[in-house]
Structure formats: C-alpha cells, structure tokens
Amino acid sequence: MLSKCGWWRDAVIYQVYVRSFLDSTGDGIGDLAGVRAGLPYLKKLGVDGIWLSPFYPSPQHDHGYDVADYRGVDPVFGDLAEFDLLMTAAHRLGIKVLLDIVPNHCSSEHPWFREALSGAPGSPARARFHFADGKGRGGAEPPNNWHAMFGGPAWTRVGDGQWYLHMFTPEQPDWNWRDPEIPAEFDRTLRFWLDRGVDGFRIDVAAGLFKHPELPDSDDPEADARTRDSVNPLAWNQPEVHEVWRQWRATCEEYTARDGRERLLVGEVSVPTAREHALYVRPDELHQAFFFDLLGAPWDADAFRKVISEAMQDIAGTGSTVTWVLNNHDQVRTVTRYGEPATEGSGLGAARARAAALLMLALPGAAYIYQGEELGLPEVVDLPDDVLTDPIFHRTGSRARIRDGCRVPLPWSGQASPFGFTSGAESAKPWLPQPDYFAAHATDRALADTRSFWHLYRDGLQLRRSLPQLGEGTLRRLDTPPGVLAFARGDDLVCAVNFTTAAVPAPVSGTPLLSSGPCPPGVLPGSTAAWWLNDL
C-alpha cells in the first residue's frame, strides 16, 4: 500500500523510452504525443508514474543523452505545448512524471561548447568544460590515459592543440562542475521544468560530474572503461558530488514547501558497494538511487539473498527505501538474460523473468519497470549491422554490450511490423526493425490472455497497492531448502522463489494468492515465484 508520506517511497515507475514507445506522426520514431496516447494503457497496468527518456533538442549521437538544449523539446518528439498536454493528461490520471536529466555531459552542439571551441585556451568559455594541454612533443598525446566508457580514449584534440574530456563519446563533452556557471545553469534548468509541473528527475550518471582536479593517469584505464561497475575512480564518485545533490534536494524541497507536492530525485548511481550507494540517499541528498545489484545478480538463490540483505541493511538504514530494478534501456532484456533467447516468450528465460518480476514487486521499497518487460519481450539479438545505432558499436566495432536490442519499438497490435507502433503510411518503418515474433508479444494479445506477462504484472501491482503488507516496510527471511528464497512481509504474507528447475514443497500451505506460473497447493514448481497469505 502506498505510503501516506512520501509517494515515491514504494512507488512503481514505468520507464518510457520515448522513441520506441508509440509513434503518433508516422515517421517511425516515438514521440510525446504517442506517450500521451499510451497513458490509459499505463493506467490500466497500474503504475504510479513514468520516467521519460531524454526528449530535448539533440543531434542524437547517443539518442538524446547528448543534450544541446536542456530547456526545450526536439522537434522529432514534439514541442513544449505537447509536453504540457502530456503533463496535464498524466496528472489527470494520477500518474506522476519524471524527466531524465543529464548533468555529467552535454552535446558537442550545445551553444556553450561551441563557444568553448571558438574561445582561447584559458578562456571562461573553456573553463565550463575540461580542456587541457596534451603530453609529449608538441602536446600530441592526451593529457592522461583515461578511456571512454563507450570505447576509445577519453580525450579529443581541437584545432589549437588543446584536448577536451569526454567520458562517453567525443560528441558528449563533460561539464566542469567546479566552474560556478555549471551548477547555476542546472539550477535554472531544474526550475524551468519544475515550474511546468514535473514530479521529479531521474539523474543520469549521478556518481559522475566531478573529476580529480589534477586529472592524473589511471592505474588501469582499460578496466575503468569496461563497465560502470569498474569505472575510473578518478572520474567517478568524487566527494564533491554530494554537495550538488544537497543543493538539488533543497530546490525540490523549496517547491514542495509551496504546494505540498513532494518532488523526487532518483539517481543512476553505479558504485561498487551498497554502503557507498547509501551515501547518495542520505536524508538531505537524493531521495532514491537505483540499486543495480539485483539486476546484475546471477539466477541463484544465494546471490539474490546476499544482494537483498545488503540493500536492506545499508540503504534502507539511511531512512530512504531501496529502488529495485531488473532492467532498463542499457541492459539485455530479462527474458534473454535469464535463459535462452526464447523468441516466443516461452522457456526457461521467460519463466525466470516472470518469477523475478514477482520477487521484485514483493520487496520493500520502490520498483522501476522498463517498457516491454510487462510484455515478456526478449532481446532482439539478430539486428543487422547496418541498422545499429548504438555509439558503443560504432566506436568499438564490437556488438558486445550494445543496447539496440532492448530498444526495438514496442508491438501494440497486428501480425506484422510495425505492429501498431506507427500510424503513418505503409512506407513508414520503425527506426529499428521489429522481428516477426513480436506478434506473439503485442499488447492487444497480452491484454486478452490472462496467462500473459502483462496480467502477471497488473495483478502484482493491484495486490501491491491493496495489501498493507507490501510496499514500504521490512522483511523477514524464512528457512528454505537449498535453491529457494523465501521471506515474510508483515505477519502473514509470504513470497518464495524456487531458483532450481525441480519442484520443492511450498514454504506454507494453501493456494497461492498469486504465482508466476502454475502452482498447486503445497508445491513450488521449478523457476516459479508465488505469494501466499498465511497465518505465520
């Protein structure tokens, strides 16, 4: 049941990847009007809010995470008037709206970066970014040995010989947060959107922003660039970043004091331990931060148990609540990650994904659902090279870690692409091709089939809203056989997950209240999760 204080504490938020959600114009790219048209679907699903991926003016080198104007709407997605209509429609349905804000870097086409390129070394325009002289003869080598997250060196040289820092791509120069103009500019941006009624912000690269002031060499630059779990400590998680979140929290509290509506700050925080994660959600900093350890855990009862225990101990202990995620726009879809690429939504991967969803919705705290997970969509693994758009692929030449496969536009109806995603002429094609097997996952079929992923999510969300045992609170572990994880919520609600493929005795008697698959009384089948109401 949702808390009376702090709507965000146990909210379920649906991540809308705007360009792949629903296209209203027929150009093959999703847009804000499409999101507005899809709101009744999301209301029926039962989510509390939506998080919108970046829709700001951008050259789209990284699909909007290279922002050229933080206070506008890219024409491909609509305009500010359409955004205002979306806000009004969402709030009328009781759906909160979070925006994705990108404070670590901007676009190389941002006016301030263009000004920096035309400015002289040492100029105020360059001080907004990280410009530095190179090493070696004539400064021909980068200022340090850092590698970019998306491949290649983290530095690009400009015409006058200096270099600028970009921890992702050359089209995404990093802001210098030690320059006072940067926090002031982002304060103006926050207020611009808060004045338009948004309910909060998802903060990209929230552990980034500050770099070591001396920009020294890294001991292991290649390891730093491999994953966000092993990022360069010289460019990540610097102590000064916490003051930024205190300032942003104060801005949100200022708006809350005016009208009583609590605004949310949720951070993309990638740090090695739950204890470090907890530092970002202290009472005067971010309200929440995504806890990625559940997403990264292998399908193993002991691994899940350890992750959940650490989160409850270190994060919930701050006074915040854990923010659970199983997927997002940067990760392989859950059905595929947990098993074989089950093209028809069946098989081991699908069973595990259903069980994991039920587990996540039973945990104390908030949960985020990536669009398409409620349809059981698998990762599209066979996209041809010539349609791939991910800068990781274009910078490394490798398909490893590319993210296009989880971003293929949603199927809404019909037997063939575009599956109702775009309403344009017959020649209009989705910006990424949809495989034929998406027909089995289309929304209209999912709603009509009570055994579908969609109904599992919807039923879980309805129970989560109606049962006081679920949502915010504590959990108590129960003794189980090997390979099984079980815990109690409140006095009488039990959730159990069988991580093995063999059936085991259920931890409590009776018929389950909800289960991820067929679950007769007294038995917990393999790769299945279930909830029971039982007098413990």
Side-chain angles (χ1 to χ4, degrees):
M1 179 178 291
L2 293 181
S3 307
K4 294 181 180 179
C5 180
W7 64 266
W8 48 271
R9 298 183 66 84
D10 50 11
V12 177
I13 307 295
Y14 185 95
Q15 181 190 352
V16 175
Y17 194 71
V18 176
R19 67 187 296 118
S20 294
F21 185 71
L22 185 60
D23 169 27
S24 72
T25 64
D27 63 358
I29 298 175
D31 46 52
L32 294 180
V35 177
R36 180 159 58 96
L39 288 175
Y41 164 80
L42 298 176
K43 177 67 174 178
K44 184 180 294 185
L45 182 62
V47 299
D48 300 299
I50 57 175
W51 145 32
L52 301 174
S53 62
F55 52 77
Y56 316 110
S58 165
Q60 303 294 321
H61 291 294
D62 189 19
H63 289 164
Y65 286 93
D66 49 324
V67 181
D69 176 4
Y70 287 86
R71 300 196 282 273
V73 176
D74 194 297
V76 76
F77 300 123
D79 54 27
L80 283 171
E82 180 55 52
F83 175 80
D84 292 339
L85 290 173
L86 169 58
M87 286 296 306
T88 299
H91 284 167
R92 186 181 297 121
L93 291 171
I95 295 175
K96 309 286 188 181
V97 179
L98 308 182
L99 302 193
D100 203 324
I101 193 164
V102 189
N104 181 73
H105 49 267
C106 65
S107 166
S108 55
E109 296 186 18
H110 191 285
W112 279 11
F113 189 71
R114 289 180 172 179
E115 184 182 350
L117 290 179
S118 62
S123 65
R126 289 204 174 179
R128 297 168 179 152
F129 302 91
H130 295 277
F131 278 83
D133 295 327
K135 293 181 177 180
R137 186 174 181 179
E141 299 176 9
N144 64 32
N145 65 350
W146 296 0
H147 281 217
M149 296 293 297
F150 289 172
W155 295 90
T156 290
R157 199 174 193 188
V158 300
D160 59 26
Q162 280 205 311
W163 301 72
Y164 70 86
L165 180 68
H166 48 84
M167 294 305 299
F168 290 89
T169 73
E171 294 82 16
Q172 295 167 288
D174 281 38
W175 293 109
N176 175 16
W177 273 83
R178 290 189 171 84
D179 186 290
E181 285 199 75
I182 306 309
E185 177 67 1
F186 273 91
D187 183 70
R188 289 188 286 269
T189 293
L190 292 182
R191 293 176 185 277
F192 176 86
W193 293 110
L194 289 169
D195 288 342
R196 300 192 93 92
V198 303
D199 299 287
F201 302 92
R202 177 267 184 186
I203 305 166
D204 189 59
V205 194
L209 279 60
F210 285 87
K211 281 68 181 172
H212 191 290
E214 298 177 5
L215 300 175
D217 280 344
S218 170
D219 292 337
D220 190 357
E222 292 186 2
D224 294 336
R226 276 198 292 270
T227 71
R228 291 193 183 190
D229 294 327
S230 59
V231 290
N232 184 343
L234 301 171
W236 222 260
N237 202 23
Q238 295 286 301
E240 298 94 328
V241 75
H242 294 283
E243 183 56 35
V244 174
W245 308 138
R246 294 186 184 100
Q247 293 170 358
W248 286 29
R249 179 68 174 260
T251 298
C252 288
E253 299 292 349
E254 175 188 329
Y255 278 78
T256 298
R258 295 179 190 175
D259 59 15
R261 288 177 47 225
E262 199 163 6
R263 276 68 167 188
L264 168 64
L265 297 174
V266 56
E268 181 195 34
V269 173
S270 299
V271 290
T273 66
R275 185 166 299 178
E276 290 174 278
H277 180 113
L279 298 177
Y280 286 83
V281 293
R282 290 174 287 192
D284 61 343
E285 295 193 39
L286 303 178
H287 298 80
Q288 293 178 321
F290 297 122
F291 188 63
F292 293 120
D293 292 37
L294 190 69
L295 184 159
W299 185 254
D300 176 82
D302 290 337
F304 270 63
R305 186 178 295 111
K306 179 175 185 292
V307 162
I308 293 168
S309 297
E310 290 178 350
M312 294 301 298
Q313 174 182 319
D314 294 327
I315 299 170
T318 67
S320 180
T321 54
V322 185
T323 305
W324 307 101
V325 291
L326 285 172
N327 215 295
N328 60 37
H329 63 294
D330 289 330
Q331 304 295 328
V332 173
R333 284 202 177 271
T334 313
V335 165
T336 303
R337 197 172 72 243
Y338 284 155
E340 77 285 1
T343 57
E344 296 299 326
S346 60
L348 190 59
R352 290 172 172 177
R354 291 171 62 92
L358 215 53
L359 167 65
M360 179 179 71
L361 293 177
L363 291 171
Y368 279 66
I369 300 170
Y370 177 50
Q371 68 177 39
E373 290 291 290
E374 83 283 6
L375 300 175
L377 286 179
E379 186 85 353
V380 181
V381 297
D382 55 355
L383 292 168
D385 288 356
D386 61 353
V387 305
L388 296 179
T389 61
D390 195 325
I392 294 176
F393 173 74
H394 294 289
R395 285 182 61 77
T396 66
S398 169
R399 297 177 69 99
R401 296 175 54 213
I402 63 171
R403 302 162 296 169
D404 289 295
C406 69
R407 300 177 178 184
V408 174
L410 296 186
W412 290 86
S413 61
Q415 301 295 320
S417 183
F419 296 113
F421 166 72
T422 179
S423 57
E426 293 183 2
S427 59
K429 294 181 179 179
W431 69 278
L432 280 175
Q434 302 158 303
D436 292 341
Y437 60 76
F438 263 34
H441 302 273
T443 298
D444 60 351
R445 290 195 184 187
L447 269 65
D449 181 1
T450 58
R451 301 166 299 175
S452 69
F453 267 81
W454 191 90
H455 278 273
L456 179 72
Y457 271 91
R458 196 278 305 270
D459 293 347
L461 290 172
Q462 285 186 339
L463 288 171
R464 183 182 169 98
R465 182 178 291 274
S466 63
L467 294 175
Q469 299 93 327
L470 294 173
E472 187 181 355
T474 59
L475 62 76
R476 175 165 51 90
R477 278 184 51 193
L478 302 177
D479 293 334
T480 60
V484 177
L485 170 64
F487 53 85
R489 301 297 316 277
D491 294 331
D492 59 357
L493 192 142
V494 172
C495 173
V497 185
N498 184 354
F499 286 80
T500 74
T501 55
V504 298
V508 294
S509 60
T511 301
L513 186 66
L514 181 63
S515 61
S516 63
C519 190
V523 176
L524 183 60
S527 307
T528 300
W531 297 353
W532 292 265
L533 277 175
N534 187 77
D535 186 2
L536 299 176

